[in-house]
Amino acid sequence: MTAAEAGPRSLGDSLGDHLLLERVATGDALVLSTLYDAFTAETYAICWFKFMMPSSADKAMV
């Protein structure tokens, strides 16, 4: 994880976020990539907390 990925990112208002999720549901890979990039640090932190082992957190992220 780079320093740029360590900080939380905001994608916008909740309506905009909802529309992004709708686009992911229709198979929009670019939007999925954007959401993944925006929430990687938070998701990894949750996985690390849940599994308490880096190897398990890495597997969960995949």
Side-chain angles (χ1 to χ4, degrees):
M1 185 174 356
T2 66
E5 294 171 332
R9 299 180 191 173
S10 175
L11 291 176
D13 61 26
S14 62
L15 177 59
D17 292 348
H18 179 74
L19 294 175
L20 289 175
L21 291 175
E22 286 183 2
R23 288 179 56 188
V24 169
T26 64
D28 190 327
L30 182 59
V31 172
L32 176 59
S33 174
T34 300
L35 286 172
Y36 181 87
D37 290 344
F39 294 104
T40 297
E42 292 88 347
T43 304
Y44 190 75
I46 291 167
C47 290
W48 185 289
F49 177 78
K50 173 76 175 162
F51 298 110
M52 294 186 211
M53 292 181 59
S55 61
S56 296
D58 291 342
K59 287 179 186 177
M61 288 295 290
V62 172

